[in-house]
Amino acid sequence: MASSAPILLTPGPLTTSERTRAAMLTDWGSWDGSFNGLTASLCDKLVAIANGSGSHACVPLQGSGTFAVEAAVGTFVPRTGKMLVLVNGAYGKRLAKICEMLGRDHSVYETPEDVPTTPEAVDRLLAEDRAVTHVGLIHCETSTGILNPLPEIATVVARHGRRLIIDAMSSFGALPIDARAVPFEALIAASGKCLEGVPGMGFVLAREEALLAAEGNIASLALDLRDQHLYMQRTGQWRFTPPTHVVAALHEALLQYEDEGGLPARHARYARNCETLIAGMRRLGLRSFLPPEIQAPIIVTFHAPRDGRYRFADFYQAVRAKGFILYPGKLTQVETFRVGCIGAVEPTDMERAVEAVAETFRELRIETL
Ligand SMILES: Cc1ncc(COP(=O)(O)O)c(C=O)c1O
């Protein structure tokens, strides 16, 4: 599936297929009808993944995922609005920081990094604070791999008549989100995650009415999703230079996504990757940070060995020499490292990665048991 280059077991950029990379060998004219057709087809496919065809629009945006998150907050939260930000990791904190930078009033509800936000807590917080207009939730908090209960929280937010902004960056395409059952104002994701494209563009799914109603909210030209949407509707083109090769790669990746069997098949493969990885590491004496009930099959945080000889930098280099790129931990209190389960990788790749880790521990004489 992958090339002979190191396999990226990281949450994006990640390992892509040969076919996806080959799609970047063509140069596209940004004004050309064929490229406009590619963008339109891409957007239709992205909306369909969330069952939003006919009700939701897809607004693509140049840049990494954070650009799209910032664009969504600025576009959808009015200057007089207030966001309740649900935090249990680094990306939740980043969302709060975006509110601060954009001058949007906000409050933060934070739980420890191994504790999901509960719908009961959201219910209470919304009842207590009538000023909150929007709720911001990270679906899978990639800094640990924890899964927050999106459908239940979405129901509570809707019952209170507030609007939900979902950062589904590391879950979209692999974990089900049904726009017909999960009410949201905006859902944000990006090209280089579970859809297995390359990094370089984000996208936001939203209802047409919400986009139209967002006029005058954002004090940014480049990040104005409403303007991007209206311009694209009128002309079929992106407002500013599009990431043509990224669009082509993502489109090709989506054709493979459909061939694989869409979301259920992608979810099942990632779940098998995750199980294989956790079972293999357990055999080596390594414990995962999260209990299985709240572990998303996206990325796994492992406790580092307690052996004093362990240094992440040496461990990383030795595993890399064996063909696998791992990811540092993002926790402040405990020493951890992370391994991604997403990308064009199979359970056999995870087994080989576990073997590379075992060999590395032998080489570095690190005790894990
Ligand atoms: C949940 C989540 N939100 C936001 C981002 C930010 O994306 P980027 O680093 O592409 O700007 C990421 C990146 O991994 C993510 O996992």
Side-chain angles (χ1 to χ4, degrees):
M1 225 170 179
S3 74
S4 58
I7 290 185
L8 300 179
L9 295 179
T10 56
L14 36 68
T15 297
T16 55
S17 73
E18 194 97 38
R19 189 173 146 193
T20 297
R21 290 193 300 277
M24 291 186 285
L25 294 175
T26 302
D27 298 318
W28 299 79
S30 62
W31 282 51
D32 194 72
S34 58
F35 181 70
N36 296 344
L38 200 66
T39 299
S41 167
L42 179 74
C43 287
D44 286 349
K45 288 179 187 303
L46 294 174
V47 168
I49 291 172
N51 281 330
S53 306
S55 56
H56 289 68
C58 167
V59 190
L61 186 74
Q62 300 91 332
S64 83
T66 306
F67 289 64
V69 178
E70 189 158 333
V73 173
T75 300
F76 292 104
V77 183
R79 295 180 200 200
T80 53
K82 178 174 181 184
M83 189 190 274
L84 166 63
V85 187
L86 306 171
V87 176
N88 45 15
Y91 293 105
K93 285 186 182 148
R94 190 180 296 178
L95 182 55
K97 176 87 182 164
I98 287 171
C99 291
E100 187 190 322
M101 300 297 290
L102 296 182
R104 295 296 189 274
D105 192 9
H106 62 285
S107 56
V108 169
Y109 174 70
E110 185 165 358
T111 52
E113 286 168 307
D114 55 353
V115 178
T117 311
T118 61
E120 293 76 21
V122 178
D123 190 28
R124 178 174 49 76
L125 291 160
L126 292 180
E128 279 168 13
D129 189 350
R130 312 293 308 165
V132 169
T133 54
H134 289 72
V135 175
L137 174 72
I138 315 296
H139 187 198
C140 167
E141 176 47 83
T142 326
S143 48
T144 55
I146 193 171
L147 182 66
N148 284 305
L150 167 62
E152 293 82 356
I153 290 175
T155 304
V156 169
V157 173
R159 200 171 62 230
H160 282 268
R162 321 295 170 88
R163 288 145 195 250
L164 182 64
I165 294 188
I166 309 166
D167 174 344
M169 205 70 70
S170 63
S171 59
F172 186 77
L175 304 182
I177 305 173
D178 184 344
R180 292 172 308 194
V182 174
F184 59 80
E185 174 99 333
L187 177 152
I188 311 141
S191 52
K193 306 280 182 195
C194 299
L195 302 173
E196 300 183 1
V198 299
M201 62 165 273
F203 55 90
V204 177
L205 305 185
R207 282 182 192 279
E208 179 82 25
E209 310 87 80
L211 281 159
L212 294 180
E215 186 168 13
N217 286 347
I218 196 163
S220 161
L221 177 69
L223 298 182
D224 186 343
L225 294 174
R226 179 181 180 275
D227 204 34
Q228 176 90 319
H229 174 63
L230 293 178
Y231 185 86
M232 208 167 253
Q233 269 197 328
R234 216 169 46 245
T235 63
Q237 294 164 12
W238 296 57
R239 272 181 317 163
F240 310 126
T241 305
T244 45
H245 296 72
V246 176
V247 172
L250 181 57
H251 192 269
E252 198 62 35
L254 286 171
L255 294 175
Q256 294 160 81
Y257 179 79
E258 289 162 5
D259 290 349
E260 186 178 351
L263 193 145
R266 183 77 32 117
H267 184 195
R269 175 160 59 84
Y270 289 173
R272 287 197 304 276
N273 287 349
C274 186
E275 283 158 22
T276 308
L277 173 70
I278 292 178
M281 295 295 228
R282 197 185 303 124
R283 282 198 301 276
L284 305 186
L286 291 178
R287 284 181 306 123
S288 52
F289 172 70
L290 297 172
E293 324 75 83
I294 55 170
Q295 170 72 64
I298 304 296
I299 188 166
V300 183
T301 299
F302 290 100
H303 288 279
R306 294 224 184 88
D307 191 317
R309 281 166 289 204
Y310 173 86
R311 302 266 177 287
F312 177 74
D314 302 339
F315 171 63
Y316 173 89
Q317 285 304 341
V319 175
R320 193 199 186 289
K322 295 169 188 44
F324 296 92
I325 292 196
L326 306 183
Y327 219 49
K330 223 175 166 66
L331 302 183
T332 42
Q333 306 294 323
V334 242
E335 168 98 41
T336 55
F337 65 90
R338 288 176 292 167
V339 186
C341 313
I342 62 178
V345 291
E346 306 270 359
T348 48
D349 297 308
M350 308 313 271
E351 273 159 18
R352 290 196 301 118
V354 170
E355 189 39 48
V357 168
E359 239 179 274
T360 297
F361 287 154
R362 284 195 291 273
E363 263 168 42
L364 302 178
R365 303 217 195 126
I366 291 169
E367 304 277 343
T368 52
L369 295 168

